[in-house]
Amino acid sequence: MVREVYGSGEAEAGMDRNMKPAWLEGLMGETFFGACGAHENRRKNEKNVFCLHCCLSICPHCLPSHRSHPLLQVRRYVYHDVVRLGDLEKLIDCSYIQPYTINGAKVIFLNQRPQSRSCKGSANICFTCDRILQEPFHFCSLSCKVDYLVNQGDDLSTILYRFDESDFTISQFEGLRMDGSEVIDDDIGPILEDHTLQCGHSSGGSRDQATSNSAISREPAAANDTVKKKKKGSGFLPGIVLSLSSRRKGAPHRAPLS
């Protein structure tokens, strides 16, 4: 089933095309990763799913109640809400929004992030919040692009897509277990902040930092493999280890005095 980004009732009412549709307003305004009030006594109750039909955030325990609705998963990167670019671009034109690659997947920030200072001048900056960006991007988040177009008086319907609800079915959340564990390989956890393109730095610095972040997430796994191998190998010579241990604990043998 293909759903219009604006409901038929809104279209018949002559809705201002410069206004944000309900799902877009909700996606950028909802609070994610807080505890679900309906399941506050259950484990794994963080609200990390957005229902495009009800326009609200829900937790994995709420999924059965929204089984027939189109659903979008929200993730966390450096403690801010992000959505996979592949999912978001089925709903709205994401061109010129700077993506970030985390664990092999490109993501888009939903909202602008606080920054200690802005850098204007010759640097490439976000049109809305002045955050330093790589070329050729103009926006650091979805909200920055939407707000800019609204302030410019542009027609938002030109960047909104008709989406197929079959792309947002509940089946995509089969990896979200409700017993406190995850089986999604590329799920995003807390990562070190990548201070993107501080004043005077080139765009290559951001790419190097992103590569560094990926390396950080892989190094602990490699270290654990090494430790496991060492532990496994330590059992091959138990006799020698026991012999050396007994020698250390025994009384020293000295030559008789002459």
Side-chain angles (χ1 to χ4, degrees):
M1 176 181 177
V2 176
R3 180 183 293 272
E4 295 279 0
V5 291
Y6 289 100
S8 58
E10 293 171 329
E12 292 173 359
M15 174 180 163
D16 184 355
R17 309 302 277 186
N18 182 250
M19 293 182 62
K20 306 167 190 173
W23 71 263
L24 181 59
E25 188 85 53
L27 182 62
M28 296 188 302
E30 270 290 293
T31 299
F32 295 96
F33 293 93
C36 176
H39 301 100
E40 57 185 358
N41 296 323
R42 304 284 295 275
R43 296 181 60 192
K44 211 66 181 177
N45 66 349
E46 290 183 331
K47 297 190 292 182
N48 61 348
V49 177
F50 183 76
C51 178
L52 292 163
H53 177 78
C54 302
C55 304
L56 52 78
S57 57
I58 60 177
C59 78
H61 301 286
C62 300
L63 291 178
S65 302
H66 299 261
R67 182 172 296 277
S68 62
H69 298 169
L71 304 169
L72 182 68
Q73 185 171 358
V74 178
R75 293 171 164 84
R76 292 285 272 179
Y77 174 48
V78 290
Y79 308 103
H80 293 279
D81 301 332
V82 299
V83 174
R84 279 185 177 178
L85 175 59
D87 293 335
L88 199 56
E89 64 186 358
K90 295 174 184 176
L91 301 167
I92 188 170
D93 179 8
C94 297
S95 60
Y96 298 107
I97 304 176
Q98 180 165 306
Y100 293 79
T101 302
I102 296 89
N103 296 337
K106 287 187 176 181
V107 299
I108 294 289
F109 282 98
L110 290 182
N111 296 290
Q112 61 178 275
R113 293 154 288 154
Q115 52 185 337
S116 57
R117 59 177 179 173
S118 61
C119 302
K120 297 183 179 181
S122 60
N124 182 47
I125 60 175
C126 175
F127 285 2
T128 302
C129 70
D130 298 334
R131 180 176 289 274
I132 302 299
L133 302 173
Q134 297 179 25
E135 295 283 357
F137 302 108
H138 300 322
F139 307 100
C140 69
S141 65
L142 174 64
S143 66
C144 281
K145 178 172 182 175
V146 172
D147 290 345
Y148 177 81
L149 294 178
V150 169
N151 292 334
Q152 293 294 310
D154 293 341
D155 186 353
L156 286 183
S157 66
T158 60
I159 66 170
L160 297 168
Y161 299 144
R162 296 174 60 189
F163 64 91
D164 191 337
E165 290 192 5
S166 63
D167 292 333
F168 300 94
T169 60
I170 195 172
S171 61
Q172 66 183 302
F173 301 104
E174 291 175 352
L176 278 178
R177 294 180 180 174
M178 290 178 280
D179 58 359
S181 61
E182 292 279 357
V183 295
I184 297 179
D185 293 335
D186 56 357
D187 202 25
I188 299 172
I191 308 177
L192 295 176
E193 171 78 69
D194 62 336
H195 301 285
T196 307
L197 294 178
Q198 297 296 332
C199 295
H201 288 198
S202 65
S203 61
S206 178
R207 289 192 293 271
D208 292 342
Q209 181 66 35
T211 303
S212 174
N213 284 343
S214 298
I216 290 173
S217 63
R218 289 194 296 267
E219 285 174 1
N224 289 336
D225 291 341
T226 303
V227 172
K228 288 178 181 178
K229 289 180 181 179
K230 287 183 178 179
K231 288 182 178 179
K232 185 176 180 181
S234 64
F236 286 118
L237 301 173
I240 294 178
V241 174
L242 181 60
S243 175
L244 291 174
S245 175
S246 61
R247 286 183 183 180
R248 293 192 192 99
K249 293 181 181 179
H253 297 282
R254 297 177 181 174
L257 296 175
S258 57

